[in-house]
Amino acid sequence: MTPKEVLDFSKEKGIKIVDLRFMDFPGLWQHFSVPVSELDEGSFEDGFGFDGSSIRGWQPINASDMLVIPDPDTANIDPFYKDPTLVLICNIVDPVTREPYSRDPRHIAKKAEAYLKGSGIGDTAFIGPEAEFFIFDDIRFESGRNMAFYEIDSIEGIWNTGRDEEPNQGYKPRHKEGYFPVPPMDKFQDLRSEMLLTLESLGIDIEAQHHEVATAGQAEIDMRFKPLLQMADQLMWFKYVLKNVAYRYGHTVTFMPKPLFEDNGTGMHTHLSIWKDGQPTFAGDQYAGLSQEALYAIGGILKHARALCAFTNPTTNSYKRLVPGFEAPVNLAYSSRNRSAAVRIPMYSTSPKAKRIEFRTPDPSCNGYLAFSAMLMAALDGIENKIDPGDPLDKDIYGLPPEELAQIPSAPGSLDEALEALKEDSQFLLKGDVFTADAIDMWIDYKIENEINPVKLRPHPHEFFLYYDI
């Protein structure tokens, strides 16, 4: 839309409120609202002011003034608010220089798309994330100086087979058996369908929805692939819609990678393909129907995977899922069909347009703007430098003898390791000023100070079980 078309659309729909949204640095949607009378064509150039020092990882208090500039192409109507509300996703600029803000995740994604076009390798990067999530009924947690706990509950939780539910009717998926029986075992079909239909009402194309492997309401809704920036915007709508539909019915949704012990974690397998002039560049006559460029892209992702994890798996909890020998793909290898490899080539279709690579390590706790941009930059580095991914690994990685498994590099074992890898391997991200040194340094510092150190300093409840009687 043009700014004028947005204003005409607002008048046609009887809009009363304009909700201005943007992404903070760690990855949560932020917003503030203005009456529709405050929106005019000049708003799309002049923007609206806000306090950048109150946003995580952004400005110091002595340089706090920032501007949000609405993007007219993102106009949509909020499906949850009482009053008719227009949502506009915004870009962040400095009010003095009018320059885009280096730590605005959306700006980084726009630069990644521009770098792809400037490289001549392609003009569009299509991204298709498979974001898993849990639907719980109740979650309680607290972390104090002298105590800490969390407790999760779900009508589907296998631990509730003996609970007095007046009556307890059973039908609770056993651990790792939630993929995917029909109701009444699956208790969230209608809820997921409402999520799906709400997303479609916002213009987001959906391919499928289903229960996932774990007990206690693990689920997945798959969006059809879209260009990088558009998909990063959609991922924010995706999380927003799922949380609010669940909340409407007394449930709660989390994208936390590993909320349950001894059951599957929550991943976000992410599909990537590069197109040029309307044609797929990843289809060819090499391994698994890939082009040489696609193999080089895999080489780039595998080479930089440990640094990528700082953005694709950005929480301390992410590494409770990425544990060798369990369900997550931590071994940095590639294969067709083999789901135990970090990079897989899906073989569902023989169409060249369906040819893509799937990076299976990421999880949905990530900031999509940063994670998708980092993945693209790694793939482009592989193509530009002709990085050989080596031979594919078509064996079951979990069944390999220890001496053979030791030859396969592994994803980081902790967020600390991922950030150290990012410190040592960030040049591929700095190309074209896509990621700036300032943004990378702040990401590392923020994660250490606000997440890693607070977790390190606290005793873990299980340590009392192990060590209290020493």
Side-chain angles (χ1 to χ4, degrees), residues 382-404:
I383 295 170
E384 290 168 339
N385 291 294
K386 296 181 169 55
I387 298 175
D388 184 355
D391 295 328
L393 190 63
D394 290 331
K395 306 174 184 177
D396 179 1
I397 295 177
Y398 301 130
L400 292 179
E403 60 274 12
E404 193 171 345

Side-chain angles (χ1 to χ4, degrees), residues 226-243:
K226 296 293 179 184
L228 188 152
L229 179 64
Q230 183 180 350
M231 181 53 76
D233 285 342
Q234 284 190 182
L235 184 60
M236 298 317 301
W237 273 113
F238 182 88
K239 290 184 175 183
Y240 176 76
V241 165
L242 270 55
K243 289 176 181 179

Side-chain angles (χ1 to χ4, degrees), residues 4 42 76 87 95 114 133 140 144 213 244 257 295 300 310 320 366 459:
K4 184 180 183 306
N76 224 322
V87 174
F133 56 99
R140 296 185 298 122
V213 173
N244 278 281
L295 288 173
K320 301 292 193 299
C366 71

Side-chain angles (χ1 to χ4, degrees), residues 241-272:
V241 165
L242 270 55
K243 289 176 181 179
N244 278 281
V245 170
Y247 186 75
R248 176 186 286 166
Y249 292 100
H251 303 292
T252 176
V253 158
T254 181
F255 294 92
M256 187 174 174
K258 189 71 173 180
L260 294 182
F261 173 53
E262 289 189 330
D263 212 335
N264 278 40
T266 291
M268 190 178 73
H269 308 149
T270 303
H271 299 251
L272 168 67

Side-chain angles (χ1 to χ4, degrees), residues 127-161:
I127 303 290
E130 300 176 11
E132 298 170 345
F133 56 99
F134 275 93
I135 304 166
F136 294 137
D137 297 326
D138 189 65
I139 172 69
R140 296 185 298 122
F141 51 87
E142 190 168 344
S143 179
R145 283 184 171 83
N146 67 321
M147 56 85 68
F149 80 93
Y150 70 89
E151 187 169 347
I152 296 165
D153 209 359
S154 168
I155 188 65
E156 274 199 359
I158 188 63
W159 56 84
N160 281 325
T161 55

